Amino acid sequence: MRRDIFQAIADPTRRAIIALIAVQAMTPNAIAEHFETTRQAVSKHLRVLTECDLVKQEPRGREIYYLLEIDKMKEIDKWLEQFRKIWETRYGQLDQLLITLKKKK
Amino acid sequence: MRRDIFQAIADPTRRAIIALIAVQAMTPNAIAEHFETTRQAVSKHLRVLTECDLVKQEPRGREIYYLLEIDKMKEIDKWLEQFRKIWETRYGQLDQLLITLKKKK
DNA sequence: ACTTTGCGAAACCATTTAGTTGCGCTTATA
DNA sequence: TATAAGCGCAACTAAATGGTTTCGCAAAGT
């Protein structure tokens, strides 16, 4: 089963989980309490996130904390790079004015 | 059917299509020629991309050119913003958080 | 007009996916 | 030691997805 980051962030629940643990490492149960879903469902999402190295496990006693591998998020940023060049340099003449105005704000 | 950008870029072929037409607007046939797939398959991907406004149609005679809505790509960038803050302020100190939590115990 | 070409849309199939349920392992706690 | 709590994993179901094939429509060329 091929997993990559883009596939991982496609799911809104997973994006929410990512945002959650970005602030603070949490256990599956703690995460589940933030949503209207079961622990097992969360557990599955965490598995997907773990498989593509977006998330790391940290066992503490019988609890398992999950924390975000923030570096992995940079890969998305890296992919965006090619388009950032476009939206920064190649502006259509028609939009030029609009964008310029927005920037000045 | 719920469509959003993240779901759209989850597919590698769609990401490739996006990268293609980012450089230059193209017809479905032209796009299909760049991959090892049929026009219909590309057409389906274009439909998904169109549905979430990542791509725009531009009919020219009997041909339909597809062009990237570069502004829409910025939404991904916007989502990344919250994490960018993290990886800029808290470099390799992922363990910092762990230590803090441990102390609280 | 007739034919060709570029497309979208619908029907269909094989895979994948999200979510639930049940089970068993491991670590706390009484 | 017995019991409860936190988890992962496997099995199962319903729904979604990618891709192909077929059909029909519209624009160009003959």
Side-chain angles (χ1 to χ4, degrees):
Chain A
M1 208 177 299
R2 194 171 199 83
R3 299 278 188 204
D4 64 29
I5 327 176
F6 295 99
Q7 210 269 322
I9 64 168
D11 186 85
T13 305
R14 278 199 289 266
R15 286 202 299 280
I17 291 176
I18 290 174
L20 247 187
I21 64 174
V23 178
Q24 184 181 40
M26 297 178 79
T27 65
N29 265 331
I31 295 169
E33 280 168 13
H34 282 77
F35 306 102
E36 283 170 17
T37 180
T38 61
R39 176 187 63 78
Q40 281 83 352
V42 168
S43 187
K44 266 200 154 188
H45 284 304
L46 286 172
R47 187 158 170 256
V48 173
L49 293 172
T50 307
E51 275 174 13
C52 64
D53 298 317
L54 255 173
V55 148
K56 203 175 61 180
Q57 293 186 333
E58 177 94 11
R60 281 182 234 167
R62 70 176 165 184
E63 293 184 333
I64 299 177
Y65 280 77
Y66 284 84
L67 39 100
L68 184 64
E69 291 275 24
I70 194 76
D71 277 350
K72 198 71 181 177
M73 298 293 289
K74 291 185 187 173
E75 285 189 20
I76 302 165
D77 196 58
K78 202 175 168 185
W79 178 72
L80 271 184
E81 199 56 44
Q82 58 184 314
F83 304 105
R84 193 169 294 122
K85 276 177 201 154
I86 295 174
W87 79 55
E88 279 174 358
T89 65
R90 190 243 286 171
Y91 287 130
Q93 298 89 332
L94 284 171
D95 308 319
Q96 187 65 60
L97 184 62
L98 246 175
I99 290 153
T100 310
L101 287 173
K102 271 184 188 167
K103 271 191 175 174
K104 280 181 181 172
K105 263 193 174 176
Chain B
M1 206 177 298
R2 236 176 56 211
R3 299 280 186 204
D4 64 27
I5 326 176
F6 295 99
Q7 209 270 323
I9 64 168
D11 186 87
T13 305
R14 277 198 290 267
R15 286 201 299 281
I17 291 177
I18 291 173
L20 246 186
I21 63 173
V23 179
Q24 183 180 37
M26 298 177 78
T27 65
N29 266 330
I31 294 169
E33 281 168 12
H34 282 77
F35 306 103
E36 283 167 17
T37 180
T38 62
R39 176 188 64 78
Q40 281 84 351
V42 169
S43 188
K44 265 202 156 187
H45 285 303
L46 286 172
R47 188 161 169 252
V48 173
L49 294 172
T50 307
E51 274 173 16
C52 64
D53 298 317
L54 255 172
V55 147
K56 204 176 60 179
Q57 294 186 334
E58 178 148 323
R60 283 184 225 170
R62 71 178 163 184
E63 293 186 333
I64 298 177
Y65 280 78
Y66 284 83
L67 38 102
L68 184 64
E69 290 275 25
I70 194 76
D71 276 350
K72 198 72 181 177
M73 298 293 290
K74 291 184 186 173
E75 284 190 21
I76 302 166
D77 197 57
K78 201 176 169 186
W79 179 73
L80 271 183
E81 199 57 43
Q82 58 184 312
F83 303 105
R84 193 168 294 123
K85 277 175 199 154
I86 296 175
W87 79 57
E88 277 173 359
T89 62
R90 189 222 301 169
Y91 291 139
Q93 310 169 9
L94 277 172
D95 300 19
Q96 184 66 55
L97 184 63
L98 266 174
I99 293 159
T100 313
L101 287 171
K102 273 180 184 168
K103 277 183 183 172
K104 281 181 183 169
K105 261 199 157 178

